[in-house]
């Protein structure tokens, strides 16, 4: 160690160059790092979405969902398989354990489903990985004061979308609300009958005539030529004038068939219609959503899109493009917030050191460790491809208070020894010796702090994935701080204190007034051990009773002034009714104060629900200064529900990619939906009566009225009919395939046969549907079947082969833990039918899992800390004394959370984990000095009192500097997201209480254990 310190002092210029290289490389790495809100998380979920047009939920469950579940549930690494069967669609979610290669998993699912026999009319299942990257990073709404919807569609599809798709980092652009041009061919039944033709015959002639068929390459003498057959049907007129042959009533004349124009047999019209409706602030609009590539930087992609949009608005007059969703801005804001907090925290730490040392030069030396340690950490993080997110920035803010500790301890020791009258060494030798003297305590304290963060790498699941970058950042910054303390600090001390301390006359070492007062207090405490220790233990036990008062929660939710609201139509509600409802809602929302943008779309795709073909999705953006936003959210839902819609308005919560929040879910399992229904009704009533809960919802909320057509087999056989023929006669035509294509205004237009949807006004209408028997006889449906009335569920949900319904509610109270334990008691008291059970999930499950894992991580951290101390101090007793400083962190931490009104959350637990490392450092610095003094011949009591006077200043400096650095986070003037007040308050409170008690309890325990050790030695 001596050689490293000497090398640093003797090679100042080389060290300056190395420092400069690190500074430049660190700054470069910092600017190159991707900015994200959260660390890149690979969510271990594969989803299988399948569309089955016209099928009821029961039909979807039996024919699609269950076969998919059976094929996927035994794949490698599958944790659970849940499914939802809707009207028209099936959604199967396959959840894997964290750490599974998700690309391989996706391929395995595709392979498992590749040879599956699908019901007729079912599209190939869409197998995709759920990723936070799959959500749009920016959504735009395009409207125009000069163009019609069809003209606007042309601009969007030909200019806007290609430009956005060409941007670096964009993986996809989705468009909704655009005008789609299609041709409709409606047959005239009377004319077909007149000419003795059928629809199928005419369709075959059209398809056979309007075609282009390449026949291949043929030889012509000495050359080769390609031959292509062209039906020469290019335009609308060509199609209308197509001659259809028929046999006249009087038979063939002159051996030639007669012909009739297609326009006489069918009406052909070119129509423009919106595939889905999209409106913004009361105007027809087209919605555009941009999805970034997995490895692209959100902020970069969003800013590139915004720049492109500005250019497009310049190029097209009258084009109005509004941003309805922007994920880049909050990231930039939170990153800048964290940077400003880190700088402010660093400034406070510097001021505290200056007050203690009262010397600008020694303060400069100590402070150098902050930028150097952080930049070295950035350099390493960039190499590991870790993003600049709330976790890494939070760790840097926290590290600022800690990385300065090593340098403070070294500088303070050099500065103190330079001012001593009896100091034997001078200049370079003194600096080398003073640095070497402090190396063991700073190295063991740094290793101890690093050891604390190592178990965080063992925490699995979402919490592990999120907090790993936090742990890496802390470890890198702390290792860097140790390196700086034994290289750069002694080098700068030699440079700045070459001529000793200016104006500081050598003096005999004697403690200051505060240290003298502390020595007096410690002397009294050592003489009254039982009273002092007893009081401390009473405080500790008393503080534990604060836990129920403080309450427990999972992660703090980060507030943004925007809402996503969906309108889920009631079973049987038509698309037209949903569009009318959306217009009413838009009208009311535009009248509300504080709303900047009201954008909605009806129909089309919705990333959150594969079956939402009739759902309305509202994006509401509010003014940043909107007060009581939580109340506003509730008021909006209440207002929208009062508009008289049959369906339900619901607020969707996607904060932090589904993290945070306080949603409790209960799964009610049973043999079938009928058995579950009464239990769900009873449970929902209990939740609605609970004042701590709001937004109670259930997946069993609605059911379709159903007519069950029961065949009378005897009657059917009398007429030569089967149940299958009944089904065929009543079955709606699900989709109209493309008959042919023509060109119009330079665009390809698909021509489809117009099919009138089957609809019935009443049950009597259905009963009177006529069937044609094989003998040509017309038979009324009511003569061969019985129609029974009943209901069928709107959705059927299953988890791991068990049918279940989900009941969910938002917890209003901050004490999520208390609410869920009360709920558990209520559930335990319910009398459930045979085969029905209720399980708590959602945030309750998250709290239990993450707190268990973090608890284990803490125990592992303490064990590692003890091991490191045993190796450092070479015995079992001294490390045990040092660990006595840990329990007393609980007092201040819990008291701090109570005063600040924060709950015991995952972030507070991470704060507690950090405290283990920070608090132990103070005890190490104190006990290391005691051991040195004992070796010099002082008694245990004398050594304790001497160390107390000498080490008080560095202990207080490091503790107060850490508290100061954490203050901006604790006061939380700006949002900090997940690295929230909870963590900072836990660290500050715990550090204050443990520092004060460490200075008394550790010496008491040390003296007691050493007396027993001496007594044993004397006996031997």
């Amino acid at each position: 160690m001596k050689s490293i310190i000497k090398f640093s002092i003797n090679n100042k210029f080389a060290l300056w160059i190395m420092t400069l290289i690190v500074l430049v490389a660190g700054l470069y790495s910092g600017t190159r790092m991707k900015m994200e809100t959260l660390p890149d998380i690979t969510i271990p979920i594969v989803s299988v979405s399948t569309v089955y047009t016209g099928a009821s939920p029961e039909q979807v469950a039996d024919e699609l969902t269950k076969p998919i579940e059976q094929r996927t549930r035994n794949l490698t690494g599958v944790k659970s398989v849940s499914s939802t069967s809707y009207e028209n669609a099936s959604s199967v979610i396959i959840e894997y354990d964290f750490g599974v290669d998700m690309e391989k998993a996706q391929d395995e699912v595709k392979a498992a489903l590749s040879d599956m026999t699908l019901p007729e009319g079912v599209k190939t299942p869409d197998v995709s990985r759920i990723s936070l990257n799959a959500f749009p990073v920016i959504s735009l709404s395009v409207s125009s004061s000069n163009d019609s919807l069809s003209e606007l569609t042309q601009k969007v599809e030909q200019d806007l979308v290609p430009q956005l798709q060409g941007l670096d980092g964009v993986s996809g652009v989705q468009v909704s609300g655009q005008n789609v041009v299609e041709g409709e061919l409606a047959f005239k039944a009377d004319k077909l009958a007149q000419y003795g033709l059928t629809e199928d015959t005419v369709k075959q002639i059209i398809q056979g005539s309007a075609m282009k068929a390449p026949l291949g390459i043929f030889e012509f003498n000495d050359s080769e030529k390609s031959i292509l057959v062209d039906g020469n049907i290019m335009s609308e007129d060509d199609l209308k004038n197509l001659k259809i042959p028929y046999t006249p009533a009087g038979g063939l004349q002159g051996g030639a068939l007669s012909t009739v124009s297609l326009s006489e047999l069918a009406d052909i019209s070119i129509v423009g219609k919106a595939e889905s409706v999209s409106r913004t602030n009361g105007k027809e609009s087209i919605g555009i959503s941009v999805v970034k590539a997995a490895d692209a930087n959100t902020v970069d992609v969003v800013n590139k899109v915004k720049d492109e949009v500005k250019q497009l608005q310049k190029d097209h007059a009258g084009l109005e493009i509004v941003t309805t969703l922007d994920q880049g801005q909050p990231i930039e804001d939170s990153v800048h917030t964290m940077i400003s907090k880190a700088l402010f925290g660093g400034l406070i730490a510097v001021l505290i050191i200056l007050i203690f040392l009262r010397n600008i030069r020694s303060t400069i030396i100590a402070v150098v460790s902050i930028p150097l340690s952080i930049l070295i950490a950035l350099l390493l993080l960039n190499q590991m491809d870790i993003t600049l997110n709330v976790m890494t920035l939070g760790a840097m803010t926290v590290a600022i208070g800690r990385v300065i500790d090593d340098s403070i301890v070294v500088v303070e020791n050099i500065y103190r020894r330079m001012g001593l009258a009896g100091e034997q060494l001078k200049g370079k030798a003194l600096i080398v010796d003073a640095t070497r003297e402090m190396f063991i305590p700073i190295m063991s304290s740094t290793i101890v702090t690093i050891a604390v963060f190592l178990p965080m790498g063992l925490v699995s699941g979402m919490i592990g994935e999120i907090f790993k970058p936090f742990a890496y950042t802390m470890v890198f910054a702390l290792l860097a701080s140790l390196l700086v303390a034994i290289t750069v600090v002694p080098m700068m001390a030699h440079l700045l204190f070459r001529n000793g301390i200016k104006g500081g006359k050598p003096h005999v070492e004697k403690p200051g007034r505060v240290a003298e007062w502390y020595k007096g207090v410690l002397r009294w405490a050592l003489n009254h051990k039982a009273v002092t220790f007893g009081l401390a233990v009473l405080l500790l036990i008393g503080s534990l009773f604060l836990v129920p008062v403080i309450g427990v929660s999972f992660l703090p939710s980060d507030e943004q002034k925007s809402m996503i609201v969906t309108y889920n139509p009631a079973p049987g509600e038509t698309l037209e009714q949903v569009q009318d409802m959306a217009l009413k809602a838009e009208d009311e929302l535009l009248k509300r104060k504080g709303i900047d943008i009201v954008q909605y779309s009806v129909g089309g795709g919705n990333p959150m629900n594969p079956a939402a073909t009739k759902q309305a999705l509202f994006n509401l953006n509010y003014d940043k200064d909107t007060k009581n936003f939580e109340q506003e959210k509730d008021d909006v839902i209440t207002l929208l529900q009062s508009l008289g819609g049959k369906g339900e308005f619901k607020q969707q919560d996607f904060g932090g990619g589904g993290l945070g929040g306080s949603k409790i879910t209960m799964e009610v399992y049973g043999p079938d939906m009928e058995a579950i229904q009464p239990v769900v009704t009873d449970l929902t009533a209990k939740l609605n009566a609970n004042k701590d809960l709001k937004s109670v919802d259930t997946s069993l909320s609605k059911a379709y009225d159903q007519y069950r057509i029961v065949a009378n087999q005897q009657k059917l056989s009398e007429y030569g009919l089967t149940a299958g023929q009944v089904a065929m006669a009543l079955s709606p035509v699900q989709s109209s395939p493309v008959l042919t294509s023509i060109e119009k205004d330079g665009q390809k237009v698909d021509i489809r046969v117009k099919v009138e949807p089957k609809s019935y006004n009443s049950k009597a209408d259905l009963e009177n549907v006529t069937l044609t028997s094989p003998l040509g006889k017309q038979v009324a449906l009511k003569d061969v079947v019985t129609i029974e009335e009943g209901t069928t569920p709107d959705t059927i949900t299953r988890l791991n082969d068990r049918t279940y319904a989900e009941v969910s509610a938002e917890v209003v109270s901050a004490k999520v833990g208390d609410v869920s334990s009360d709920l558990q008691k209520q559930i335990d008291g319910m009398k459930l039918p045979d085969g029905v059970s209720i399980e708590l999930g959602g945030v309750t499950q998250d709290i239990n899992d993450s707190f268990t894992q973090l608890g284990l991580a803490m125990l592992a951290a303490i064990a590692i800390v003890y091991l490191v101390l045993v190796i450092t101090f070479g015995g079992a007793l001294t490390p045990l004394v040092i660990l006595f400083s840990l329990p007393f962190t609980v007092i201040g931490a819990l008291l701090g959370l109570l005063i600040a009104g924060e709950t015991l959350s995952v972030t507070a637990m991470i704060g507690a984990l950090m405290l283990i490392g920070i608090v132990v450092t103070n005890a190490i610095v104190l006990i290391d000095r005691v051991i040195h003094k004992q070796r010099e011949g002082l008694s245990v009591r004398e050594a304790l009192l001497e160390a107390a006077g000498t080490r008080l200043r560095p202990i207080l400096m490091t503790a107060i500097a850490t508290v100061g650095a954490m203050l901006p986070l604790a006061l939380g003037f700006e949002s900090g997201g997940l690295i929230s007040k909870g963590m900072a308050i836990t660290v500050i409170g715990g550090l204050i209480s443990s520092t004060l008690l460490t200075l008394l309890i550790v010496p008491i325990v040390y003296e007691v254990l050493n007396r027993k050790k001496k007594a044993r030695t004397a006996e031997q």
Side-chain angles (χ1 to χ4, degrees), residues 230-252:
D230 187 348
N232 195 26
I233 305 262
M234 304 288 287
S235 66
E236 189 180 349
D237 287 339
D238 290 343
L239 191 62
K240 283 180 178 175
N241 296 327
L242 177 65
K243 300 299 180 190
I244 307 293
Y246 71 96
T247 309
L252 295 175

Side-chain angles (χ1 to χ4, degrees), residues 533-596:
F533 198 75
L535 274 171
V537 171
L538 276 175
L539 276 173
L540 177 61
I541 294 164
S543 68
L544 294 174
F545 287 103
L546 294 175
V547 176
V549 185
I550 291 164
V552 178
S553 68
F554 182 48
L555 283 172
S557 12
D558 202 13
E559 188 179 273
Q560 285 174 15
K561 300 291 169 66
S562 62
M563 277 176 89
I564 295 177
V565 178
T566 52
Y567 175 68
N568 299 312
E573 203 169 347
T574 64
L575 190 60
E576 287 73 23
Q577 288 171 315
V578 174
Q579 287 172 357
D580 291 345
M581 194 68 242
L583 277 170
K584 269 192 204 171
E586 178 190 62
D587 196 40
E588 288 299 323
L589 290 168
L590 286 170
K591 292 176 191 169
R592 282 190 85 75
K593 274 186 186 169
I595 291 192
D596 290 341

Side-chain angles (χ1 to χ4, degrees), residues 626-674:
T626 307
K627 300 277 187 290
N628 301 332
F629 192 56
E630 283 301 316
Q631 185 59 46
E632 170 64 14
K633 288 182 190 175
D634 294 343
D635 292 348
V636 164
I637 300 297
T638 310
L639 166 77
L640 296 176
Q641 267 319 124
S642 68
L643 297 176
K646 293 181 202 166
E648 184 184 19
F649 281 97
K650 253 164 75 178
Q651 191 212 332
Q652 302 292 334
D653 183 18
F654 303 107
L659 296 164
S662 50
K663 196 176 192 179
I664 283 188
T665 58
M666 283 133 284
E667 276 114 29
V668 184
Y669 293 94
D672 52 42
M673 287 297 188
E674 282 173 26

